[in-house]
Amino acid sequence: MWTEQVLDSLSKDRTYHRDDLFELAQKEDGGLTDSAFRWGLYDLQQKRELFRIGYDEYGIDKAGVRPYYKPVYSEGAISLSEKLNAAFPTLDYVVFESVLLNEFLNHQIAQNAIYVQVQKDVSSYIFDTLQDDYNGQVIYRPNRKEFDRYWRKDCIVVLDLISQSPLSDDNPHEITLEKLLVDVVAEKSISATYSLSEIPFIYENALRNYAIDERRIHRYAGRRGKAELIEKYLKG
């Protein structure tokens, strides 16, 4: 069966995208359908012969591959998310906070800012709503100069959620590492929280410690007009 032949061809030292595995499977079974491939992939995971590492990323040696990034949020960010979930259960949004970058930085961020990226057509309404609970602590779509002027400790920054953002399958409100790596470069109010000289360290530490789907990064970076710059950082 194609599953056994594909497994024999995989290396323990790398991860494979779903498309890579499908291409290998079709070489063994030219008539393989996408549905049959999905069931084969599921069966391999149930037998613990193949492990899902990240978004559409797989490896055959769980101990030898990098883990999937999962952000650890502050109480303030968790509280904000709970408020949004209770008031707007169908709302599309992603929460990020600047202290999440401390895992990747040489110089730590001491004063936090919480970002909530909300679907564009309702972001201004969410801003107005949050003003009631966080009076004077909410900023709406600031540029670098506005952020520097109005920033306060633990303030909330409301931004538009860019289409084609790489979202988490498990929790769509948590930021993915692929999105984080693009946003720290593309979003001015986020890049204002750390020294730009730290960007190479952010990428180096992220690539070394976590499984990353570079295809998702490239797609999102293109959407944000930062494809060439992001490619430069990915290549070190």
Side-chain angles (χ1 to χ4, degrees), residues 12-15 48 51 53 59-67:
K12 292 183 178 181
D13 300 324
R14 57 162 293 189
T15 60
R48 299 186 65 79
F51 300 94
I53 307 304
I60 60 174
D61 182 8
K62 189 174 184 180
V65 297
R66 291 161 294 174

Side-chain angles (χ1 to χ4, degrees), residues 5-48:
Q5 296 163 316
V6 168
L7 278 177
D8 289 340
S9 68
L10 302 184
S11 169
K12 292 183 178 181
D13 300 324
R14 57 162 293 189
T15 60
Y16 296 85
H17 191 272
R18 182 188 185 279
D19 292 344
D20 299 327
L21 296 177
F22 189 51
E23 183 177 338
L24 291 172
Q26 284 192 313
K27 289 180 180 179
E28 304 297 338
D29 182 355
L32 184 67
T33 64
D34 187 68
S35 176
F37 173 72
R38 288 201 306 270
W39 278 109
L41 209 59
Y42 174 77
D43 185 57
L44 289 174
Q45 293 175 82
Q46 291 299 105
K47 293 177 179 177
R48 299 186 65 79

Side-chain angles (χ1 to χ4, degrees), residues 93-105:
Y93 72 91
V94 174
V95 173
F96 168 74
E97 54 184 335
S98 55
V99 292
L100 288 177
L101 292 176
N102 283 340
E103 180 179 354
F104 310 105
L105 295 172

Side-chain angles (χ1 to χ4, degrees), residues 11-228:
S11 169
K12 292 183 178 181
D13 300 324
R14 57 162 293 189
T15 60
Y16 296 85
H17 191 272
R18 182 188 185 279
D19 292 344
D20 299 327
L21 296 177
F22 189 51
E23 183 177 338
L24 291 172
Q26 284 192 313
K27 289 180 180 179
E28 304 297 338
D29 182 355
L32 184 67
T33 64
D34 187 68
S35 176
F37 173 72
R38 288 201 306 270
W39 278 109
L41 209 59
Y42 174 77
D43 185 57
L44 289 174
Q45 293 175 82
Q46 291 299 105
K47 293 177 179 177
R48 299 186 65 79
E49 294 178 319
L50 189 69
F51 300 94
R52 187 172 182 272
I53 307 304
Y55 180 84
D56 275 355
E57 289 286 327
Y58 301 86
I60 60 174
D61 182 8
K62 189 174 184 180
V65 297
R66 291 161 294 174
Y68 183 45
Y69 174 76
K70 185 172 179 62
V72 179
Y73 288 106
S74 68
E75 291 183 4
I78 293 172
S79 175
L80 171 62
S81 206
E82 289 174 346
K83 287 179 183 292
L84 291 173
N85 288 339
F88 311 101
T90 62
L91 180 67
D92 292 331
Y93 72 91
V94 174
V95 173
F96 168 74
E97 54 184 335
S98 55
V99 292
L100 288 177
L101 292 176
N102 283 340
E103 180 179 354
F104 310 105
L105 295 172
N106 284 334
H107 300 90
Q108 302 290 278
I109 296 172
Q111 307 297 335
N112 195 28
I114 301 172
Y115 298 79
V116 55
Q117 301 180 355
V118 187
Q119 57 195 73
K120 186 174 182 179
D121 57 335
V122 296
S123 62
S124 62
Y125 174 72
I126 297 300
F127 166 73
D128 292 337
T129 302
L130 291 176
Q131 286 280 55
D132 295 335
D133 292 329
Y134 302 93
N135 185 33
Q137 289 290 103
V138 189
I139 311 172
Y140 183 56
R141 296 173 55 185
N143 56 32
R144 176 69 178 260
K145 184 177 181 180
E146 290 168 339
F147 180 85
D148 289 339
R149 180 175 181 180
Y150 297 111
W151 175 89
R152 300 290 184 274
K153 180 182 178 182
D154 295 324
C155 69
I156 297 170
V157 183
V158 178
L159 303 171
D160 291 338
L161 180 62
I162 304 300
S163 61
Q164 300 181 32
S165 292
L167 303 179
S168 167
D169 287 340
D170 299 327
N171 188 339
H173 305 315
E174 291 184 352
I175 193 163
T176 62
L177 189 53
E178 291 85 0
K179 179 170 171 55
L180 183 156
L181 289 174
V182 175
D183 285 350
V184 295
V185 175
E187 179 53 55
K188 299 299 184 183
S189 62
I190 293 178
S191 63
T193 63
Y194 67 93
S195 170
L196 296 182
S197 64
E198 294 262 24
I199 294 179
F201 297 105
I202 294 174
Y203 273 76
E204 179 183 348
N205 289 326
L207 291 166
R208 181 175 63 244
N209 295 319
Y210 293 103
I212 295 175
D213 187 341
E214 293 192 14
R215 301 184 191 200
R216 301 183 87 197
I217 293 181
H218 290 310
R219 188 180 307 119
Y220 183 50
R223 179 67 181 85
R224 301 215 63 168
K226 298 293 183 180
E228 291 186 8

